[in-house]
Amino acid sequence: DTGVSQDPRHKITKRGQNVTFRCDPISEHNRLYWYRQTLGQGPEFLTYFQNEAQLEKSRLLSDRFSAERPKGSFSTLEIQRTEQGDSAMYLCASSLDGTLRETQYFGPGTRLLVL
Amino acid sequence: DAKTTQPNSMESNEEEPVHLPCNHSTISGTDYIHWYRQLPSQGPEYVIHGLTSNVNNRMASLAIAEDRKSSTLILHRATLRDAAVYYCVGSGGGADGLTFGKGTHLIIQP
């Protein structure tokens, strides 16, 4: 399968714990995006990378959230001191060059439940 | 941001055409109109996109109004596997992140 992959697919954690998610984009894609989706809502943009550079962060991305893409390939999203409001599906997407007409390809998501 | 407005849900019968409308009155001249769909417990899947002209691919057709303030996704012959939430998305949200609304929940009756 050469699509976008995410790991883990599901994560249950207790409030206050740290969690880290991984995303592997399509191999030749330069752009990588993170979105968050809560029940009944569409995905909300969090941040994106052009190669290893993080170029934009949404206001939704609080200081407890950090994302990296160290070698311009896979990316990690870490949430520190998780809160119940962080419970959501975290989606990763990639695209070839990020032009306005460019298609973004989404992974299956990581579903986080904070108890 | 190119904000979009879609009906919350629509229902259609299997093997009949489906027309899913979307209003995007604030769209700018350079924003593309993208359609994605999402099945339960899966990430969004690209369906089609366009700028000014009508577009066709193997999955669907996209009809864009001349003033670009609305568009319609056309599934020519719906199957049960087309039951999903369909999102009409405007690109160009400053950060190149897509701005999703709540989408249309399409129900297909056998």
Side-chain angles (χ1 to χ4, degrees):
Chain A
D1 187 350
T2 57
V4 177
S5 62
Q6 293 186 246
D7 183 68
R9 293 292 307 278
H10 303 274
K11 179 71 177 178
I12 300 174
T13 191
K14 293 182 179 179
R15 189 175 51 189
Q17 297 294 306
N18 299 343
V19 293
T20 300
F21 310 140
R22 176 180 170 125
C23 170
D24 286 89
I26 294 172
S27 60
E28 65 268 25
H29 283 186
N30 297 320
R31 288 250 176 147
L32 186 147
Y33 306 80
W34 285 99
Y35 293 82
R36 181 178 70 186
Q37 185 175 26
T38 54
L39 205 59
Q41 305 294 317
E44 297 170 295
F45 168 74
L46 292 178
T47 188
Y48 84 93
F49 292 83
Q50 173 78 28
N51 298 315
E52 65 274 9
Q54 186 173 15
L55 297 185
E56 190 75 24
K57 295 181 186 180
S58 160
R59 289 188 298 273
L60 294 174
L61 210 67
S62 77
D63 292 344
R64 296 184 297 105
F65 287 68
S66 62
E68 293 182 344
R69 194 183 182 195
K71 297 181 181 179
S73 56
F74 73 91
S75 174
T76 58
L77 177 68
E78 181 183 18
I79 309 174
Q80 296 183 327
R81 305 181 303 283
T82 52
E83 302 172 357
Q84 288 184 327
D86 297 331
S87 296
M89 172 82 88
Y90 290 84
L91 293 160
C92 175
S94 69
S95 68
L96 190 56
D97 63 13
T99 59
L100 292 178
R101 60 181 170 78
E102 188 71 18
T103 296
Q104 293 186 20
Y105 295 88
F106 284 81
T110 294
R111 187 172 294 281
L112 172 66
L113 177 61
V114 182
L115 301 176
Chain B
D1 283 3
K3 295 196 184 299
T4 60
T5 305
Q6 299 176 254
N8 289 334
S9 66
M10 290 184 65
E11 198 167 316
S12 182
N13 295 320
E14 198 176 7
E15 299 187 2
E16 289 186 357
V18 179
H19 291 234
L20 296 166
C22 178
N23 288 322
H24 30 78
S25 57
T26 61
I27 199 168
S28 76
T30 56
D31 285 350
Y32 277 75
I33 300 150
H34 301 254
W35 284 81
Y36 286 78
R37 71 181 185 182
Q38 188 173 23
L39 278 65
S41 300
Q42 295 187 23
E45 173 190 26
Y46 167 78
V47 177
I48 199 166
H49 73 279
L51 184 62
T52 57
S53 305
N54 294 344
V55 185
N56 300 294
N57 66 20
R58 63 177 179 80
M59 290 181 72
S61 295
L62 177 59
I64 301 172
E66 196 169 333
D67 63 7
R68 295 203 346 114
K69 293 185 184 299
S70 65
S71 62
T72 301
L73 178 72
I74 302 165
L75 306 178
H76 295 286
R77 196 161 168 265
T79 69
L80 295 177
R81 288 178 296 178
D82 292 321
V85 178
Y86 285 78
Y87 296 100
C88 166
V89 184
S91 63
D96 286 350
L98 298 174
T99 304
F100 288 82
K102 291 186 178 182
T104 296
H105 184 198
L106 177 63
I107 299 164
I108 304 295
Q109 297 287 355

